[in-house]
Amino acid sequence: MSDHTLQVTDLIKTYNAGKPNEVRVLQGVSLAVKPGEVVALVAPSGAGKSTLLHIAGLLDTPDSGMVQIAGTDMTHLSDRKRTAVRRSTVGFIYQFHHLLPEFTALENIILPQLANGVAEKAAQARAMGLLDHVGIAERASHRPAALSGGEQQRVAFCRALANEPSLLLADEPTGNLDPETSDRVFDTLIGLVRDTGLAAVIATHNLELAARMDRQVRLNGGILETS
Ligand code: ADP
């Protein structure tokens, strides 16, 4: 059995296959990430980062190839089982926070836990602990609109970690912030990842941020180059 948290092997993904607007996004991509390892996924816009992260995180399926999470082949699971594994094992962070506007910061972190069967008191305690960890406990009762961009993204990090995933997938997580805020928020993210021992794949075009991760892989022309 593989000791990798995530292992994708020979992924192929083509959109609009056989049509004039065919896009061959992934042409045999393999990547393995160990527990505690933080991998930078560097690629120009349109190269297929989101496609790869969505396939790795069980939000999309490849045309062929294999996705293994914690040594288990996810390729042939039913949709229902994939959803269950995704909820309990994978945390996602996007460029935009996608917090629910009508709920407070705290509630945004509690809700995914309730959906995963956690009792309300325990969910609340964990949510508060996470907000404290990222330094914004005093903002717990604020709705997203009453938070700064950096604070919104910190709440999104807490939400991604709410169900104690073993794999974190982040798609340009600080791409929407000004450079100074981006640096500080990135520090918070890396700190969280290191403290929890997660395996993480973090897509960025920012080479300085990429250099602070354990290693970098580059997606170009459908091929993943490992350095
Ligand atoms: P990135 O995240 O690196 O910007 P994406 O994975 O979003 O790249 O997209 C890779 C390529 O695939 C782009 O050319 C994009 O236009 C195309 N693409 C993405 N999703 C679809 C889709 N559902 N249908 C057709 N083409 C798509």
Side-chain angles (χ1 to χ4, degrees):
M1 198 172 112
S2 159
D3 60 355
H4 290 103
T5 305
L6 171 69
Q7 184 154 16
V8 300
T9 312
D10 294 333
L11 295 180
I12 306 251
K13 181 77 174 180
T14 301
Y15 292 113
N16 307 316
K19 300 191 182 145
N21 56 349
E22 176 178 281
V23 192
R24 294 178 172 202
V25 187
L26 306 179
Q27 302 196 59
V29 165
S30 300
L31 174 68
V33 189
K34 285 187 272 196
E37 192 179 29
V38 183
V39 176
L41 173 59
V42 182
S45 187
K49 294 185 300 290
S50 306
T51 301
L52 176 56
L53 292 175
H54 286 167
I55 291 173
L58 310 178
L59 286 167
D60 197 359
T61 50
D63 301 332
S64 66
M66 187 160 65
V67 177
Q68 289 170 285
I69 293 184
T72 304
D73 181 4
M74 298 291 149
T75 322
H76 303 294
L77 288 188
S78 65
D79 281 353
R80 203 190 151 109
K81 286 214 170 111
R82 289 162 61 84
T83 302
V85 172
R86 188 171 67 238
R87 266 201 193 133
S88 59
T89 314
V90 185
F92 278 99
I93 300 169
Y94 299 94
Q95 182 173 359
F96 299 98
H97 58 78
H98 296 304
L99 297 171
L100 298 171
E102 66 275 37
F103 292 99
T104 65
L106 190 72
E107 288 163 345
N108 267 281
I109 307 166
I110 290 175
L111 287 169
Q113 297 181 74
L114 300 184
N116 203 33
V118 178
E120 190 160 351
K121 272 234 157 76
Q124 183 163 352
R126 174 152 176 85
M128 253 344 266
L130 283 164
L131 283 174
D132 193 36
H133 200 121
V134 301
I136 54 168
E138 76 289 357
R139 298 280 190 274
S141 61
H142 291 225
R143 291 189 179 172
L147 297 170
S148 72
E151 289 168 346
Q152 290 167 345
Q153 222 34 0
R154 286 183 161 92
V155 177
F157 298 168
C158 295
R159 180 189 51 188
L161 296 191
N163 285 324
E164 303 183 59
S166 51
L167 175 65
L168 182 73
L169 300 172
D171 197 350
E172 301 277 356
T174 62
N176 193 36
L177 303 172
D178 65 78
E180 198 181 306
T181 309
S182 165
D183 262 7
R184 281 190 287 115
V185 170
F186 187 79
D187 283 342
T188 306
L189 175 60
I190 286 287
L192 260 182
V193 169
R194 298 290 186 207
D195 291 348
T196 48
L198 278 169
V201 181
I202 303 178
T204 180
H205 343 263
N206 184 324
L207 296 180
E208 280 173 31
L209 298 186
R212 292 169 54 193
M213 301 186 218
D214 296 329
R215 66 189 171 96
Q216 300 178 23
V217 294
R218 288 166 192 276
L219 186 59
N220 220 332
I223 306 293
L224 199 67
E225 298 155 5
T226 306
S227 53

